[in-house]
């Protein structure tokens, strides 16, 4: 499912246009990928995209395209859920359209052998840097403890 959403988001010209417009409006320097990635991470991990757990007993995934549309029309808060998998997919799609190689990773953060968290890595200067999207205030590069990961490069 994650790979399908990422593939569709990569081909979405509207999403690409919105990401480029956000970069332009905020005067972000596309030549400095670390600064660009950190700024985009701050936007996705900020108040415009509040974390909201999925309804109990129901796992929903919001596509990057739907999340961008809801951002543009001010209805992000109306989503039934907006959790780590939704925001990791969105972060990866935003990075892709900004020209930054990224990957979505499912993680085991409590050591029980099951994947219980999702996050995004951005490739900066040949190194993978984590972008946490659901823990408010965490800077670009902060990463929760991980006992195992399964990643999909976008």
């Amino acid at each position: 499912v994650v790979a399908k959403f990422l593939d569709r988001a990569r081909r979405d010209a509207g999403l690409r246009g919105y990401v480029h417009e956000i970069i332009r409006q905020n005067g972000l320097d596309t030549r400095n990928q670390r600064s660009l990635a950190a700024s985009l991470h701050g936007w996705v991990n900020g108040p415009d995209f509040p974390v909201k757990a999925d309804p109990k007993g129901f796992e929903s995934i919001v596509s990057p395209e739907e999340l961008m549309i809801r951002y543009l029309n001010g209805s992000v808060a109306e989503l039934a859920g907006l959790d780590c998998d939704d925001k990791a997919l969105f972060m990866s799609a935003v990075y892709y359209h900004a020209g930054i190689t990224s990957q979505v990773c499912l993680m085991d953060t409590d050591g029980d052998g099951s994947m219980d968290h999702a996050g995004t890595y951005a490739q900066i200067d040949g190194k993978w840097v984590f972008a946490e999207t659901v823990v408010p205030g965490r800077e670009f590069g902060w990463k929760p403890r991980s006992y195992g990961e399964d990643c999909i490069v976008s």
Side-chain angles (χ1 to χ4, degrees), residues 17-74:
Y18 296 134
V19 169
H20 287 204
E21 183 61 19
I22 287 162
I23 290 168
R24 188 192 66 72
Q25 284 179 352
N26 291 285
L28 302 179
D29 183 359
T30 57
R31 296 166 297 174
N32 182 336
Q33 289 212 320
R34 177 169 289 282
S35 175
L36 178 62
S39 294
L40 292 171
H41 166 257
W43 172 60
V44 172
N45 197 30
D48 289 334
F49 300 96
V51 176
K52 187 179 193 182
D54 286 331
K56 188 170 176 76
F58 183 73
E59 175 62 38
S60 67
I61 297 181
V62 179
S63 73
E65 301 91 338
E66 180 183 356
L67 189 49
M68 181 61 89
I69 289 166
R70 286 184 174 271
Y71 166 74
L72 293 170
N73 69 25

Side-chain angles (χ1 to χ4, degrees), residues 41 44-45 49 51 84 87-88 91 118-120 130-135:
H41 166 257
V44 172
N45 197 30
F49 300 96
V51 176
C84 60
K87 291 185 75 173
M91 184 81 265
T120 306
F130 198 74
E132 173 59 51
T133 57
V134 296
V135 180

Side-chain angles (χ1 to χ4, degrees), residues 110-153:
D110 58 12
D112 68 355
S114 67
M115 301 302 178
D116 54 32
H117 186 55
T120 306
Y121 282 97
Q123 191 173 44
I124 307 295
D125 299 326
K127 296 179 180 152
W128 292 106
V129 181
F130 198 74
E132 173 59 51
T133 57
V134 296
V135 180
R138 294 298 182 181
E139 294 193 17
F140 180 65
W142 179 87
K143 179 183 168 193
R145 179 179 304 212
S146 177
Y147 295 92
E149 298 179 5
D150 184 18
C151 301
I152 300 168
V153 177

